[in-house]
Amino acid sequence: MHRPPAPKGVLYVIVCAAGAAPSARDLVAAALGEGWEVQVVATPAALGFFDVPAFEELTGRPVKSRYRRPDEPKPPRADAIVVAPATYNTVNKFAQGVADTYALGLLAEAPGLGIPVVVVPFVNAALASRLPFLRAVETLR
């Protein structure tokens, strides 16, 4: 008899506006298969890069991209966060502590809350070679 894996906690998968955004589905499916409860968070620009209803069906949860209103239920706190794909802007803003979107607000708070964060950059070679990006990656390490 096959039993589902024991629950591991809540994993937030933050999806940014990059060509690889639809591939985040593979990460979400793998995490669910390992017993994680998954909350997908999209940057506002990312909403046009992947099939939001398909992600919602997969996770059983709405994709979040904005702060909740006071009358809306509070989502469960993340036990871990993966940012994939992470764009040039998101990597740089995260390293600088910018919190101008819901996704970046979550990332800004995560270190102070002790929530581990994995960032998977998806940038072209020209952007990856820029000094601001290299500094941001080093800061986040």
Side-chain angles (χ1 to χ4, degrees), residues 38-72:
V38 178
Q39 173 64 63
V40 176
V41 174
T43 62
L47 292 172
F49 278 71
F50 66 98
D51 185 347
V52 172
F55 275 64
E56 291 176 339
E57 183 177 334
L58 181 63
T59 64
R61 306 183 60 79
V63 170
K64 300 282 190 185
S65 65
R66 62 168 178 78
Y67 287 99
R68 70 180 180 86
R69 293 187 312 261
D71 62 326
E72 294 177 325

Side-chain angles (χ1 to χ4, degrees), residues 100-121:
D100 61 357
T101 65
Y102 178 61
L104 283 164
L106 293 170
L107 292 172
E109 287 183 335
L113 295 172
I115 300 171
V117 177
V118 173
V119 178
V120 183

